[in-house]
Amino acid sequence: MAAAFSRLYSLSRLLILMLTLSFLPASCRLASGQVVTNSKLRQPDKFRQLSELLPTPNDYRTASGAPGHRYWQQQANYDIDVSLDDRTQQLTGRETITYTNHSPDSLGYLWLQLDGNMRRPQSGRTLSTPAPALTGEVSFRSFDGLLTAQTFDGQMQIQSVTSAETGAALPYSIVRTSMRIDLPQPLRPGQSTRFTVAWRSSIPNARVLPGRMGYEFFEKDGNYLYEMAQWFPRMCAYTDYAGWQHKEYLGQGEFTLEFGDYVVRITVPDDHVVASTGVLQNPVEVLSAEQQQRLQQARSAKDPVFIVTPDEARQNQSAGSEQQKTWIFKADNVRDFAFASSRKFIWDAVQHSVGGNPVMAMSYYPVEGEPLWSRYSTRAIVHTLNVYSKYTFNYPYPVAISVNGPVGGMEYPMICFNGPRPEPDGTYSSRTKYGLITVIIHEVGHNYFPMIVNSDERQWMWMDEGLNTFLQYLAEVEWEETYPAQRGEPKDIVNYMTSTDQVPIMTNCESLLQVGPNAYSKPATALNILRETVLGRELFDFAFREYSQRWKFRRPEPADFFRSMEDASGVDLDWFFHGWFYTTDHVDIAITGVQQHE
């Protein structure tokens, strides 16, 4: 009887505890369910330390927020041949990957990303995309996109996977947007393996199926403009904190990749101009003598120089060649590779020194982008490199490119795709002008976060979008005092912070309710307040620069950022990071009455 009574008493206490927890607001509970209260005052403890939430420091990631003495990351080098078919809008490729295992683990298989599989009719992305609201009129473009998404098969069709050493076929399995390659024997720590993958895929019409890549067709001259990204099988990241990062790609969580060296040979129609990650290796073979001379002039010019002039671009787009040529690019220590190709491209460039590092700032755009693009694009690149380098580290790559095409705004190492164009008559509004400058600052800025400070956006979108938006705000106000910045000031997120449609910033990227405010505006505003009010500019800038330089070409987690900012500033910021990043709390102060006392 005593034992039964004891069990009943314990169950009743547990039931009371569960009911109590269910009525507490989420901000009063830890992720584990432990109530965060001040037992003395019986109120939520807003100043509780973050150590209860952050992972335990170790030899890979220290308590100070710096990489540990045993920190490691994998390396994947790529040698790629790819051909673009301008008649069928298809891509055919063959790559040899050299994968080096720097981890302390033996790996029996390898995982690769096949991002194009997101566009299969039965993919997780297609099945989880909500239908458009049918309460009002539906545009033909929206309806066309809805139908095309159900029929277009953009998956990567794997043709073979073989050992680069023996030529033997390697067994593989495709699981949604990933591919597992089974190794003949485990890859031990310190060892490398080489294997070859051949594939082909169809390129989507980016105007019908918007996304990270695709083509644009110009009816008036019958030409195509291609922006190619996430176009080849890429190694999944293998990390100390998560093992293989092979979450299904649904389109929102963009990047988690390994650094490596690339040599890429891109075969396109003879009259196409190619913009790419990396440095062009064979200008003599693909450029005219005049274009080579202009490229050399751009290295010492004060203002951008046309490498391919508007007249040459018009001539190219009015002809159309059946011949082909191959552009060769080399890129060292990058985590991805993208390119753009079209016979419509105008190309301008100027060399700029960033902390003594010579950088070719370049822009590629069709005639439809003029005169807006030649006035602002390359100059916005130079401005971005100057501002971001001041607050983080000197831009380390030899190239920085902005391309105009159908992708509205997307970033890759050394190259980004940006959308705004003037009206057909060449005029443009102030909104279009600042829209172009803004998107270029943001997308070029992504070279710093996450292309160099290599955060995991498949998990935490704010670590690159939020930090980058904060620096974008600083670059905008340095462009001109009256710049119409829309993210960074506290007044711009009041409506969001008082809404009920929120989740904490520390939420997986696929579970966000309002992506723009959550991943961009709110973290950018938090850092602005931290800089202007809590720490002050001098202390904040020192700490932010320290974090950036600690994790340059490495892979930080949120705890590394929080700990680095506290470590370098010398200020306890747990209360700040907990409130801003782990809860949806907001300052709620109201004047309830005013009385005059005689």
Side-chain angles (χ1 to χ4, degrees):
M1 178 68 70
F5 179 80
S6 177
R7 287 195 297 271
L8 182 61
Y9 177 72
S10 298
L11 286 172
S12 64
R13 291 192 62 187
L14 178 60
L15 180 60
I16 292 171
L17 176 60
M18 292 175 64
L19 289 172
T20 302
L21 286 173
S22 69
F23 286 105
L24 283 172
S27 60
C28 299
R29 285 176 264 139
L30 290 178
S32 63
Q34 179 183 354
V35 183
V36 184
T37 57
N38 182 313
S39 59
K40 182 178 180 180
L41 301 178
R42 297 182 181 179
Q43 63 185 20
D45 188 351
K46 304 295 187 180
F47 293 88
R48 200 176 187 94
Q49 293 295 287
L50 267 184
S51 57
E52 297 171 310
L53 291 175
L54 302 184
T56 303
N58 53 41
D59 291 347
Y60 309 134
R61 298 168 188 275
T62 69
S64 69
H69 68 278
R70 295 180 61 203
Y71 175 83
W72 57 267
Q73 60 190 31
Q74 311 291 60
Q75 180 165 351
N77 297 338
Y78 297 79
D79 188 282
I80 306 177
D81 289 278
V82 62
S83 179
L84 177 76
D85 191 326
D86 192 39
R87 295 168 298 176
T88 63
Q89 286 67 61
Q90 286 201 331
L91 207 65
T92 304
R94 184 180 183 86
E95 65 183 5
T96 296
I97 301 175
T98 302
Y99 184 78
T100 303
N101 181 17
H102 292 300
S103 81
D105 309 320
S106 292
L107 305 177
Y109 46 78
L110 306 177
W111 283 96
L112 280 74
Q113 295 180 193
L114 306 180
D115 287 359
N117 287 9
M118 175 190 71
R119 295 200 179 279
R120 292 181 300 111
Q122 297 300 312
S123 71
R125 162 64 182 270
T126 302
L127 296 177
S128 63
T129 300
L134 300 178
T135 54
E137 293 184 359
V138 179
S139 68
F140 175 79
R141 180 174 174 179
S142 298
F143 189 69
D144 189 23
L146 184 64
L147 293 179
T148 304
Q150 303 300 319
T151 58
F152 176 78
D153 191 351
Q155 69 177 314
M156 294 180 177
Q157 301 173 17
I158 303 299
Q159 298 174 311
S160 65
V161 180
T162 58
S163 167
E165 284 92 1
T166 67
L170 295 176
Y172 65 90
S173 298
I174 295 176
V175 183
R176 299 177 182 268
T177 58
S178 299
M179 177 172 69
R180 189 191 72 240
I181 299 177
D182 300 325
L183 301 176
Q185 57 272 334
L187 185 66
R188 302 193 182 281
Q191 290 183 336
S192 297
T193 186
R194 296 176 66 242
F195 59 93
T196 300
V197 181
W199 81 97
R200 65 184 301 129
S201 60
S202 297
I203 304 168
N205 183 338
R207 295 299 189 190
V208 177
L209 294 175
R212 314 297 180 191
M213 53 88 81
Y215 70 80
E216 178 180 4
F217 178 65
F218 294 79
E219 291 187 9
K220 67 178 183 179
D221 52 54
N223 288 305
Y224 292 85
L225 190 160
Y226 301 89
E227 292 180 321
M228 301 305 305
Q230 295 160 245
W231 54 272
F232 60 100
R234 303 173 296 170
M235 291 302 308
C236 291
Y238 184 77
T239 71
D240 62 280
Y241 58 84
W244 287 109
Q245 173 55 287
H246 45 34
K247 293 180 184 293
E248 182 178 4
Y249 180 51
L250 300 178
Q252 189 149 282
E254 295 164 348
F255 300 107
T256 308
L257 298 163
E258 305 286 6
F259 285 106
D261 300 334
Y262 287 72
V263 175
V264 181
R265 291 167 288 275
I266 305 170
T267 300
V268 297
D270 182 69
D271 51 0
H272 271 221
V273 174
V274 178
S276 174
T277 297
V279 176
L280 179 63
Q281 301 296 295
N282 61 334
V284 175
E285 298 174 15
V286 297
L287 301 180
S288 68
E290 292 83 0
Q291 291 166 348
Q292 294 174 53
Q293 184 179 13
R294 295 171 196 154
L295 190 59
Q296 188 61 35
Q297 291 174 351
R299 301 188 186 281
S300 57
K302 293 183 179 179
D303 296 310
V305 173
F306 283 121
I307 312 304
V308 175
T309 67
D311 286 341
E312 288 172 333
R314 291 188 184 94
Q315 183 177 355
N316 281 344
Q317 74 178 21
S318 65
S321 173
E322 295 295 326
Q323 304 300 313
Q324 292 185 324
K325 62 185 174 185
T326 300
W327 297 60
I328 304 174
F329 294 89
K330 188 176 188 298
D332 294 332
N333 205 22
V334 295
R335 67 174 210 161
D336 203 357
F337 193 101
F339 70 92
S341 182
S342 180
R343 61 176 52 90
K344 295 178 65 66
F345 277 145
I346 302 168
W347 172 11
D348 72 51
V350 67
Q351 183 166 291
H352 179 67
S353 176
V354 183
N357 179 42
V359 180
M360 286 297 289
M362 303 189 288
S363 297
Y364 298 73
Y365 42 93
V367 174
E368 287 79 1
E370 281 292 75
L372 178 66
W373 271 71
S374 62
R375 290 179 182 173
Y376 295 109
S377 179
T378 300
R379 290 175 175 85
I381 295 173
V382 170
H383 176 75
T384 305
L385 299 182
N386 287 340
V387 175
Y388 276 63
S389 295
K390 178 172 62 175
Y391 291 109
T392 57
F393 45 78
N394 289 330
Y395 183 78
Y397 292 133
V399 168
I401 295 172
S402 170
V403 180
N404 177 236
V407 178
M410 197 59 216
E411 71 279 1
Y412 299 91
M414 305 188 216
I415 188 171
C416 58
F417 306 149
N418 304 302
R421 288 177 186 157
E423 298 297 326
D425 63 0
T427 61
Y428 52 87
S429 65
S430 174
R431 180 177 180 178
T432 299
K433 166 191 166 181
Y434 286 112
L436 176 65
I437 298 169
T438 294
V439 72
I440 291 176
I441 290 174
H442 184 86
E443 306 305 344
V444 172
H446 269 306
N447 276 282
Y448 296 79
F449 305 93
M451 299 304 160
I452 297 172
V453 180
N454 186 18
S455 57
D456 181 352
E457 193 178 2
R458 285 285 169 93
Q459 184 66 33
W460 308 115
M461 183 178 286
W462 70 267
M463 285 198 74
D464 71 304
E465 297 294 0
L467 270 60
N468 183 46
T469 301
F470 164 68
L471 289 172
Q472 171 194 331
Y473 170 76
L474 297 182
E476 288 172 347
V477 297
E478 289 196 29
W479 179 276
E480 64 187 34
E481 186 176 352
T482 58
Y483 196 97
Q486 296 181 350
R487 287 170 169 165
E489 291 288 349
K491 63 180 176 60
D492 296 326
I493 64 167
V494 170
N495 289 337
Y496 173 70
M497 293 293 286
T498 56
S499 74
T500 58
D501 194 17
Q502 296 184 63
V503 293
I505 292 175
M506 286 293 293
T507 299
N508 177 272
C509 67
E510 302 295 351
S511 300
L512 302 180
L513 297 180
Q514 299 186 62
V515 174
N518 181 285
Y520 295 70
S521 304
K522 185 178 177 180
T525 304
L527 295 182
N528 192 23
I529 291 173
L530 190 60
R531 182 175 187 257
E532 297 291 344
T533 305
V534 179
L535 291 178
R537 294 183 178 182
E538 182 177 355
L539 203 55
F540 176 94
D541 291 350
F542 176 84
F544 192 82
R545 191 179 300 110
E546 180 70 15
Y547 164 75
S548 303
Q549 295 180 357
R550 282 178 175 181
W551 291 97
K552 180 172 64 173
F553 296 114
R554 293 183 174 90
R555 191 189 307 280
E557 278 281 275
D560 303 314
F561 175 70
F562 299 144
R563 285 169 168 154
S564 288
M565 292 300 292
E566 286 194 342
D567 178 71
S569 69
V571 178
D572 182 358
L573 299 173
D574 281 19
W575 63 273
F576 183 87
F577 290 132
H578 182 270
W580 274 95
F581 289 82
Y582 285 87
T583 80
T584 58
D585 289 350
H586 62 276
V587 176
D588 188 8
I589 301 175
I591 298 175
T592 59
V594 178
Q595 292 182 340
Q596 180 178 357
H597 295 278
E598 298 297 336

